[in-house]
Amino acid sequence: MFDARYEDTWLVVGASRGIGHEFVQQLLDRGNRVYATVRKDAASFWPEHQKQGLCRVWTCDITSQSSIENFVDELSSLSDDAISGVIINAGVLKYPSRATEMSFDDFTYHLNTNAVGPIICAQALLKAGVRLDKITFISSDSGSAQNFLEMEDGFAAYAASKAALNQALRHMAAEVKRRRRPTVILALHPGEVKTDMANIDVDWEVEGQMTPQESVEACLRVIDSKGSEDNGTFWTWENRPYPW
């Protein structure tokens, strides 16, 4: 059980590395209780925080429905605490994956990890009966249909998977609203972040790269600022609305 001195509980799905890992660290640093999922070796992440009852970490494969369901079942049986914020960060980028060249498996890999898994995870959480104030999906400007980034050669599978995520989460937001549930569904572009996933050589200039620390600090400010009127909206780390 968590230490009762702490008021807010957050969940970060996809916290093994990069901005997901940084989200957990910054949430812990600001005094929140945190649940997190990683791909493997859950006990090795934030061991001191786990010992102190401030953090609970599960191993969860976002591409496996049974793994997601097992994690959510355990989460829902732990406590009836409301979760202030869910951040679904799981994602992959296999570069290059061009539409004229990519394999069936590569396309499926992107779709399952970046779109299908995150949506099924959010669906399971909504069904679990735990009160969820906000669910934020980490999306990307690459997934915008209105603002197509033609220079992103080799990003076809990644961009298509983020576009699929965007459309699915918009439907989820509309369905939640119709059912008069209080959960706010958001999409968030975290900016160009220097992570292992982004450590690729591309043929265009990537401007404005940030560290994970800088991106997450900005993203948390955006998430904190959103309320029920923002359900089903897409934002950047700069707190600017982004075109779908």
Side-chain angles (χ1 to χ4, degrees):
M1 296 294 292
F2 278 140
D3 189 322
R5 293 173 299 171
Y6 292 80
E7 295 182 357
D8 289 335
T9 302
W10 287 67
L11 166 63
V12 181
V13 176
S16 297
R17 59 178 184 166
I19 65 172
H21 190 279
E22 184 63 25
F23 268 116
V24 174
Q25 191 60 56
Q26 289 196 26
L27 287 166
L28 288 169
D29 288 345
R30 74 181 197 176
N32 297 120
R33 302 170 293 186
V34 182
Y35 295 121
T37 74
V38 296
R39 287 170 297 178
K40 58 183 179 180
D41 302 326
S44 67
F45 289 85
W46 305 282
E48 290 305 313
H49 289 89
Q50 291 201 59
K51 287 179 184 177
Q52 296 171 31
L54 306 178
C55 184
R56 176 70 184 265
V57 185
W58 285 269
T59 300
C60 179
D61 179 359
I62 199 68
T63 65
S64 164
Q65 182 163 351
S66 62
S67 183
I68 292 169
E69 289 175 348
N70 289 339
F71 150 64
V72 173
D73 284 345
E74 289 190 29
L75 172 68
S76 60
S77 67
L78 263 186
S79 170
D80 58 0
D81 288 343
I83 297 179
S84 300
V86 178
I87 298 169
I88 301 185
N89 172 67
V92 293
L93 168 61
K94 185 174 181 180
Y95 177 82
S97 290
R98 298 181 176 91
T100 52
E101 300 170 358
M102 64 188 176
S103 68
F104 187 99
D105 287 343
D106 283 350
F107 198 7
T108 303
Y109 172 61
H110 284 84
L111 288 168
N112 283 343
T113 310
N114 295 349
V116 178
I119 291 296
I120 296 301
C121 184
Q123 177 193 107
L125 289 166
L126 287 166
K127 290 178 178 178
V130 180
R131 199 190 87 199
L132 308 171
D133 292 341
K134 297 175 190 174
I135 301 176
T136 301
F137 293 87
I138 300 301
S139 186
S140 171
D141 58 350
S142 299
S144 172
Q146 290 176 256
N147 189 30
F148 175 59
L149 303 177
E150 186 173 352
M151 80 289 191
E152 288 190 339
D153 178 44
F155 273 53
Y158 178 79
S161 68
K162 289 297 188 178
L165 172 68
N166 287 351
Q167 281 294 85
L169 74 88
R170 291 181 81 185
H171 278 276
M172 181 172 282
E175 292 163 17
V176 163
K177 182 179 179 180
R178 281 194 291 270
R179 294 170 187 171
R180 300 185 184 279
R181 293 196 57 161
T183 306
V184 176
I185 309 291
L186 303 169
L188 180 57
H189 168 48
E192 303 297 336
V193 188
K194 297 176 183 177
T195 63
D196 290 341
M197 192 176 83
N199 187 23
I200 55 176
D201 292 323
V202 295
D203 294 332
W204 64 91
E205 184 177 353
V206 180
E207 298 179 352
Q209 277 198 313
M210 298 175 286
T211 65
Q213 292 87 345
E214 292 169 328
S215 173
V216 168
E217 284 176 3
C219 287
L220 284 173
R221 286 195 293 270
V222 175
I223 296 169
D224 288 341
S225 73
K226 302 308 169 198
S228 58
E229 69 279 4
D230 301 303
N231 182 46
T233 54
F234 188 8
W235 300 87
T236 73
W237 80 103
E238 298 171 302
N239 211 2
R240 296 178 180 175
Y242 202 76
W244 293 102

